[in-house]
Amino acid sequence: MLQQLFSPSVQHTLDLVGIFVFAISGALLAVRKNFDVFGIAVLAEVTALGGGLFRDVVIGAVPPAAFTDLGYFLTPLLAALLVVFLHPQVERIQVAVNVFDAAGLGLFCVAGTTKAYAYGLGLTASAALGLATAVGGGVLRDVLANEVPSLLRWDRDLYAVPAIVGATMVALCIRFDTLTPLTSGLAVVTAFVLRLMAMKYHWRAPRAWNRRSNVAEEDSPWPGRSSAGSAR
Amino acid sequence: MLQQLFSPSVQHTLDLVGIFVFAISGALLAVRKNFDVFGIAVLAEVTALGGGLFRDVVIGAVPPAAFTDLGYFLTPLLAALLVVFLHPQVERIQVAVNVFDAAGLGLFCVAGTTKAYAYGLGLTASAALGLATAVGGGVLRDVLANEVPSLLRWDRDLYAVPAIVGATMVALCIRFDTLTPLTSGLAVVTAFVLRLMAMKYHWRAPRAWNRRSNVAEEDSPWPGRSSAGSAR
Amino acid sequence: MLQQLFSPSVQHTLDLVGIFVFAISGALLAVRKNFDVFGIAVLAEVTALGGGLFRDVVIGAVPPAAFTDLGYFLTPLLAALLVVFLHPQVERIQVAVNVFDAAGLGLFCVAGTTKAYAYGLGLTASAALGLATAVGGGVLRDVLANEVPSLLRWDRDLYAVPAIVGATMVALCIRFDTLTPLTSGLAVVTAFVLRLMAMKYHWRAPRAWNRRSNVAEEDSPWPGRSSAGSAR
């Protein structure tokens, strides 16, 4: 019923690109946390595949794509290898990495929503799983690195909203029977551009009403944590 | 074979109440941790639905109820919205929130045990999954907020024991073929009242034998963390 | 097609031994973190069963063995009980515990790889899941205890490599159609001995190229954390 977003080989290549850039972000955090090479490889795998793994387990698509497609498994190892040897250079092109990460975000929210709907979920649930596909790997990355997930912090540029917009566009296209490679591509591009603009203009989401302190209460025993975080 | 605990519409309403109060507890922690509105919504969803999601994935009930029932998904968003605008007021009625949370604990441990048994698990495993349904969301909430799960800490009032008692009562009723809406309701009320009494009289579980230090060894580099915790 | 590694009763006994020693390691960390008796039981269960639970959910073997075999569920409780009353004695025989943990690592990486292959996964994916079975429980243990997973830290003796070697040996044996109880046993012993040697000679994995600082950048607000970690 649902047609492929793109031709299978194009889709597969786009998936691998998204996996690769997400893996780079996991590997870079592992280097910053001083993990050994296995820690770097594990964090690369988890960041790249965690979101899709969660989606596949929830919709009952087992074994998940992460374990049936060898390319999905090997790509993060390649990214980890690259970071192990070239991390100062990769850090220096952080801007390029961020652009690719934004592309991964756009691709994954659209592909995740489409796959969830193809497995029979409702439109709202499909969009929610599209969002989870796009951001889940990053949350797992931060949990394993023992950090507050970057997704949840107020002092980070918008990350969830572009994915929500992309996933919602796909859900609306399905609802009105207009999901084509063109509209899918448009949703990818919209999420991608929104994320780029959020980074460029430092768009941030508001916090709870009347809450303007910069220090989380739980953090009070460690003064400077939040400020160190926002300075990064 | 297993009859419904209550009439379907009553059961559904009770589920939504439990989800709502769990979501409130997640959203309040997110506000305290200074998360943005999306972080608040994510923590509300995870706290409210995490336990049931874990149970459903383990027993093979996919897609899980959290993704098939739109009300389950939207209720935490409503709770998050409320907390974003009214968190000082919600904090002030913390006692009321705690009472509702205790009710959620009672409802979820009973509903979780019943559902796991209906999917063919043994009695002990069903009770264990009932416990996991009731406390799983709170554990995920604390992990995402980068805190030691409140469930595991010695300086918190008993939380697991009431749920264990409720789940065990259901398992015993199934074993002796006396699970009726009445006995189920009794298990809910028992867990609920036990939790209320644990909060009122500050019942706490013992720690390991001969262990009376208040400071966890891993915490030693941050003096005052445990004491700050117990003062909260 | 795949024969049992060992006779069923021998296999089951070995599984229980592995579960028991993993549970001991979880319970000991819980005591060190000052958790109450329920926290100790939860951490024992999660450490012992987490890796296998993850594997079973991923390969679609639901309900997982952890919830269908009562012995799997009760063994960690026994380990927790032992640690609650005898933790100073258990700490004193830490060397013995480490030897058993190494045995558990060997057993679980081999059993995990074999089971994943039996459920239709490819050889690489099976080996990856064998590794996840062996190390997953320990990672969950550390995440719940709010620590950086020991598996990822550069200042810990090699843990993943022995499991990777064991899992790879099984995958190669399957590939060349020589998986027998003898070769399986050889893989278990190889992983076991490698882990023992890593502990004895403090083998460590390299970190990223040109990275020789002992302090993770994220840790800087808390001076002494990394050094405290490496002194442990």
Side-chain angles (χ1 to χ4, degrees), chain C residues 118-198:
Chain C
Y119 272 77
L121 273 76
L123 287 174
T124 311
S126 296
L129 273 175
L131 172 64
T133 307
V135 306
V139 169
L140 277 175
R141 173 197 65 204
D142 295 342
V143 166
L144 284 186
N146 204 13
E147 308 245 312
V148 172
S150 161
L151 178 77
L152 307 176
R153 298 178 63 134
W154 75 274
D155 54 358
R156 292 289 190 271
D157 302 328
L158 283 188
Y159 196 86
V161 174
I164 292 172
V165 170
T168 307
M169 283 176 68
V170 173
L172 288 176
C173 286
I174 294 173
R175 172 72 186 73
F176 295 109
D177 227 349
T178 55
L179 191 74
T180 64
L182 187 73
T183 52
S184 289
L186 199 65
V188 172
V189 170
T190 305
F192 173 58
V193 170
L194 277 177
R195 170 64 184 154
L196 289 184
M197 290 175 70

Side-chain angles (χ1 to χ4, degrees), chain A residues 32-217:
Chain A
R32 251 177 258 143
K33 298 284 287 190
N34 220 5
F35 292 167
D36 67 21
V37 290
F38 296 101
I40 296 169
V42 167
L43 223 57
E45 291 279 355
V46 164
T47 310
L49 305 177
L53 192 61
F54 174 76
R55 176 203 58 209
D56 288 350
V57 166
V58 162
I59 62 179
V62 290
F67 284 99
T68 51
D69 186 316
L70 205 56
Y72 286 12
F73 178 78
L74 295 179
T75 301
L77 295 184
L78 185 69
L81 200 72
L82 209 78
V83 167
V84 163
F85 286 103
L86 301 174
H87 61 95
Q89 286 80 352
V90 176
E91 295 263 24
R92 219 172 296 140
I93 54 164
Q94 184 69 50
V95 174
V97 172
N98 281 341
V99 171
F100 278 103
D101 183 84
L105 189 73
L107 288 164
F108 278 31
C109 72
V110 170
T113 306
T114 312
K115 182 163 183 182
Y117 185 76
Y119 272 77
L121 273 76
L123 287 174
T124 312
S126 296
L129 273 175
L131 171 64
T133 307
V135 306
V139 169
L140 277 175
R141 172 197 66 204
D142 294 342
V143 165
L144 283 186
N146 203 13
E147 308 244 313
V148 172
S150 161
L151 178 76
L152 308 176
R153 299 177 62 133
W154 74 274
D155 54 358
R156 293 287 189 271
D157 302 328
L158 283 188
Y159 196 86
V161 175
I164 292 173
V165 170
T168 306
M169 282 176 69
V170 173
L172 288 176
C173 286
I174 295 174
R175 172 71 186 75
F176 295 109
D177 227 349
T178 56
L179 191 74
T180 64
L182 186 73
T183 53
S184 290
L186 198 67
V188 172
V189 170
T190 306
F192 173 58
V193 170
L194 276 178
R195 170 65 184 154
L196 288 184
M197 290 174 70
M199 284 190 291
K200 185 167 172 58
Y201 299 108
H202 297 296
W203 288 343
R204 283 177 187 174
R207 280 172 288 163
W209 194 251
N210 266 334
R211 173 141 196 120
R212 289 294 168 266
S213 155
N214 283 358
V215 181
E217 281 163 32

Side-chain angles (χ1 to χ4, degrees), chain B residues 57-58 124-125 128 139 146-149 152-154 161 205-209 211 213-214 216-218 222 225, chain C residues 31-39 42 57 62-64 67 70 73 84-85 87 143-144 146-147 222 225 232:
Chain B
V57 165
V58 162
T124 312
V139 170
N146 203 13
E147 308 245 313
V148 172
L152 307 176
R153 298 177 63 134
W154 76 275
V161 175
R207 281 172 289 162
W209 195 250
R211 174 141 195 121
S213 156
N214 283 359
E217 281 164 32
E218 311 300 295
W222 311 286
R225 178 179 195 168
Chain C
V31 170
R32 249 177 261 143
K33 297 285 286 190
N34 220 6
F35 292 168
D36 68 22
V37 290
F38 295 101
V42 167
V57 166
V62 290
F67 285 99
L70 204 55
F73 179 77
V84 164
F85 286 103
H87 62 96
V143 166
L144 284 186
N146 204 13
E147 308 245 312
W222 311 285
R225 179 179 194 168
R232 256 182 262 152

Side-chain angles (χ1 to χ4, degrees), chain B residues 95-108:
Chain B
V95 174
V97 172
N98 281 341
V99 171
F100 278 103
D101 183 83
L105 189 73
L107 288 164
F108 277 31

Side-chain angles (χ1 to χ4, degrees), chain C:
Chain C
M1 179 183 62
L2 270 176
Q3 39 184 320
Q4 286 285 132
L5 290 189
F6 308 104
S7 79
S9 67
V10 172
Q11 175 71 44
H12 194 246
T13 309
L14 292 175
D15 275 357
L16 292 181
V17 170
I19 286 171
F20 184 79
V21 290
F22 277 170
I24 293 276
S25 95
L28 282 176
L29 178 60
V31 170
R32 249 177 261 143
K33 297 285 286 190
N34 220 6
F35 292 168
D36 68 22
V37 290
F38 295 101
I40 296 170
V42 167
L43 222 56
E45 291 280 355
V46 164
T47 311
L49 304 177
L53 192 61
F54 173 76
R55 177 204 57 208
D56 288 350
V57 166
V58 161
I59 62 179
V62 290
F67 285 99
T68 51
D69 186 315
L70 204 55
Y72 286 11
F73 179 77
L74 296 179
T75 301
L77 295 183
L78 185 69
L81 200 72
L82 209 79
V83 167
V84 164
F85 286 103
L86 300 174
H87 62 96
Q89 286 79 351
V90 176
E91 294 263 24
R92 220 173 294 138
I93 55 163
Q94 184 70 49
V95 174
V97 172
N98 281 340
V99 171
F100 278 103
D101 182 84
L105 189 73
L107 288 165
F108 277 31
C109 72
V110 170
T113 306
T114 312
K115 182 164 184 182
Y117 186 75
Y119 272 77
L121 273 76
L123 287 174
T124 311
S126 296
L129 273 175
L131 172 64
T133 307
V135 306
V139 169
L140 277 175
R141 173 197 65 204
D142 295 342
V143 166
L144 284 186
N146 204 13
E147 308 245 312
V148 172
S150 161
L151 178 77
L152 307 176
R153 298 178 63 134
W154 75 274
D155 54 358
R156 292 289 190 271
D157 302 328
L158 283 188
Y159 196 86
V161 174
I164 292 172
V165 170
T168 307
M169 283 176 68
V170 173
L172 288 176
C173 286
I174 294 173
R175 172 72 186 73
F176 295 109
D177 227 349
T178 55
L179 191 74
T180 64
L182 187 73
T183 52
S184 289
L186 199 65
V188 172
V189 170
T190 305
F192 173 58
V193 170
L194 277 177
R195 170 64 184 154
L196 289 184
M197 290 175 70
M199 284 191 290
K200 184 167 171 58
Y201 299 108
H202 296 297
W203 288 345
R204 282 174 188 177
R207 281 173 288 162
W209 194 251
N210 266 335
R211 174 141 195 120
R212 287 296 168 265
S213 155
N214 283 359
V215 182
E217 281 163 32
E218 311 301 296
D219 282 339
S220 49
W222 311 285
R225 179 179 194 168
S226 288
S227 47
S230 48
R232 256 182 262 152

